[in-house]
Amino acid sequence: MHPCPRKCLATLLLLIVTSTAPLIQAAELPEVDRFNYILGTQAIGGRYHFTQQDPLVESAEVIRAMGASCMKFDLRAKPKEYPGVHSLVELARDERSHRRVLDMPFANFQLWAEPFASTSWKQGLSKADADKEYQELHALVVHLLKTYSGTGKTFYLGHWEGDNLLRGSIGKEADAKMTPEKVQGMIDWLTTRQRAVDDAKRDTPHQNVQVWHYTELNHPTISMRESRPTLVNQVLPKVPVDFVSYSAYDVTNEPKAEEIKEVLSYIESQLKPKPGIPGRRVFIGEYGYSVLHHGKAHHSPQEQDRLSRITILSALEWGCPFILYWELYNNELEPNEQHRGYWMINDKGVKQPIYETHRRYYEWARAFVGECVTRTGKVPENEAFQKATAEYFRAMR
């Protein structure tokens, strides 16, 4: 019998080691890192970046350095950017930049998670499409639960503005686009996605990690004020979603505290009860203020910050679990290629007043939570923290 070649021996030793070694448990985030600081921002479609890193990774590192504990980004098919990726699991697990960001010490992730499998619900959701949607989202949830078990991370899986998908504009002519088939298709689609999340959580052993499902709406005011059909009154009461994200431009463009709270309460009133989820279940997934609009000056950096603080304080007083500013780097251009200026950091790398408002807030909030841990041995209750945070922003007026 000939001796085993060195390559064969090395392979055999590797197999022995990997088959007998215990699985490496993902590290649990420190208490101060896994606390929900409520305020956040997002990195979706930014038109510039400043380093040689992948733009998503660069954005996440900037957001993390600012002090945030949450990160919102796009987990969707992009064949031109990631040609070798064929599913949500492969994108989250194998694509280097996405995996690196998911592994970063953020406590909460809000993700636009839309399967690579081509599905459609706008003429009704077929059984074949429902099965594809279910299987791919279910597999993603299983992956997240297994990979991040023990870390204290929470993942919120949702989609982009649902009213734009369902009806398009707020114009009255768009009311007719909400056909019974389309409305029922969206109901079935969201119900299928929720079932995928619930089933995966029920059947997958995990600890100290959570996954929730949300729908995002963006035109609730025309339902509240005019009883016109939108996602909030035609779909939301019929789907068992965990949370609702509100892309809130229709009430935050000229923010008034009582109006913001009124709309948030209206959205919440349409939700199906979920006794297992404490607290409010409606969060602001987008709000922001551009510096240019149709080629004209729109908001100065100082006005951008002032209006944001009105929105932040109003949503804090109401009890939103998240308030997410659009966004870190601008993603929209005017016809002449000028940046519209939905940003915290502009295209020249200059940090705007709204960036500094968030940075200073995180500095205060982390000190507040750290002091509470030192004094009591535990983080503050969410309600107490939210109250203190509202007081912090009131003092800035």
Side-chain angles (χ1 to χ4, degrees):
M1 181 176 178
H2 296 289
C4 183
R6 287 185 179 180
K7 185 176 180 181
C8 177
L9 181 59
T11 302
L12 179 61
L13 289 172
L14 179 62
L15 286 171
I16 292 170
V17 170
T18 56
S19 64
T20 58
L23 292 174
I24 297 174
Q25 180 70 49
E28 182 178 22
L29 296 177
E31 286 182 300
V32 174
D33 278 336
R34 67 174 182 265
F35 194 80
N36 175 18
Y37 294 106
I38 305 172
L39 271 61
T41 188
Q42 38 217 317
I44 299 176
R47 295 285 186 149
Y48 49 87
H49 58 104
F50 303 102
T51 71
Q52 296 302 310
Q53 292 192 93
D54 177 273
L56 175 61
V57 174
E58 176 186 309
S59 296
E61 291 189 349
V62 172
I63 291 169
R64 173 66 184 162
M66 186 168 55
S69 65
C70 69
M71 171 73 183
K72 182 178 174 184
F73 66 97
D74 198 349
L75 199 69
R76 295 189 290 180
K78 297 177 183 176
K80 291 183 180 178
E81 293 182 46
Y82 312 114
V85 177
H86 307 98
S87 71
L88 286 172
V89 169
E90 290 183 12
L91 187 60
R93 183 192 64 202
D94 302 334
E95 199 289 307
R96 185 175 299 177
S97 60
H98 288 76
R99 177 61 186 262
R100 182 170 171 184
V101 173
L102 291 169
D103 286 349
M104 288 176 67
F106 290 106
N108 297 288
F109 292 89
Q110 295 84 15
L111 305 170
W112 285 349
E114 297 182 19
F116 283 53
S118 179
T119 63
S120 176
W121 49 265
K122 293 185 179 181
Q123 281 77 46
L125 184 69
S126 69
K127 184 180 184 307
D129 280 356
D131 288 345
K132 287 190 285 186
E133 187 85 27
Y134 175 92
Q135 289 165 10
E136 196 166 337
L137 204 63
H138 183 279
L140 174 64
V141 177
V142 170
H143 165 73
L144 294 173
L145 292 174
K146 288 183 175 180
T147 303
Y148 299 103
S149 184
T151 62
K153 291 176 181 278
T154 300
F155 301 89
Y156 297 80
L157 307 182
H159 60 84
W160 177 70
E161 299 172 340
D163 282 302
N164 281 343
L165 300 174
L166 188 60
R167 57 171 291 127
S169 75
I170 60 171
K172 290 191 175 180
E173 69 281 358
D175 291 0
K177 294 181 180 179
M178 290 188 56
T179 63
E181 294 79 13
K182 203 172 186 181
V183 170
Q184 188 60 51
M186 186 174 233
I187 291 170
D188 293 342
W189 177 61
L190 291 173
T191 301
T192 297
R193 287 167 63 85
Q194 184 67 53
R195 183 166 56 87
V197 172
D198 291 342
D199 289 356
K201 287 162 63 173
R202 180 195 64 208
D203 298 336
T204 307
H206 60 281
Q207 61 176 348
N208 198 20
V209 63
Q210 184 60 269
V211 180
W212 301 112
H213 171 237
Y214 73 85
T215 185
E216 183 170 270
L217 50 79
N218 57 299
H219 291 323
T221 55
I222 62 172
S223 291
M224 184 182 76
R225 295 168 181 163
E226 304 172 45
S227 298
R228 289 167 57 199
T230 66
L231 193 159
V232 74
N233 62 356
Q234 300 297 305
V235 175
L236 191 58
K238 299 177 182 178
V239 294
V241 294
D242 296 321
F243 288 87
V244 175
S245 170
Y246 177 25
S247 182
Y249 301 101
D250 64 347
V251 77
T252 60
N253 281 343
E254 298 179 6
K256 298 178 178 64
E258 293 311 311
E259 288 185 2
I260 292 171
K261 294 174 190 177
E262 182 186 19
V263 179
L264 290 168
S265 293
Y266 171 67
I267 296 168
E268 187 178 59
S269 74
Q270 304 300 302
L271 271 166
K272 280 180 170 287
K274 284 262 177 152
I277 304 177
R280 302 286 200 177
R281 292 163 53 208
V282 181
F283 64 88
I284 293 184
E286 283 189 37
Y287 77 99
Y289 304 93
S290 63
V291 298
L292 282 179
H293 185 64
H294 297 315
K296 297 180 180 179
H298 197 211
H299 297 107
S300 69
Q302 292 71 28
E303 188 73 357
Q304 194 178 55
D305 183 53
R306 184 185 72 82
L307 295 173
S308 294
R309 286 188 275 112
I310 294 172
T311 296
I312 289 168
L313 178 56
S314 304
L316 281 170
E317 290 177 336
W318 185 82
C320 280
F322 299 103
I323 307 163
L324 307 180
Y325 181 84
W326 188 271
E327 62 173 333
L328 183 69
Y329 298 154
N330 176 67
N331 72 311
E332 293 189 18
L333 300 178
E334 292 284 302
N336 64 359
E337 299 296 301
Q338 283 185 286
H339 288 280
R340 294 193 67 190
Y342 284 105
W343 52 35
M344 286 185 160
I345 300 174
N346 72 14
D347 58 315
K348 305 298 189 295
V350 178
K351 295 171 179 174
Q352 303 298 292
I354 186 60
Y355 172 96
E356 289 300 328
T357 289
H358 279 71
R359 185 194 61 75
R360 288 192 297 268
Y361 162 71
Y362 294 132
E363 186 175 62
W364 168 85
R366 284 176 173 270
F368 180 92
V369 172
E371 188 276 332
C372 186
V373 171
T374 300
R375 179 169 45 84
T376 69
K378 59 183 180 179
V379 298
E381 296 292 333
N382 290 338
E383 187 175 342
F385 176 76
Q386 198 135 18
K387 182 179 178 181
T389 298
E391 289 174 356
Y392 171 89
F393 277 96
R394 282 191 208 102
M396 295 175 65
R397 290 187 298 191

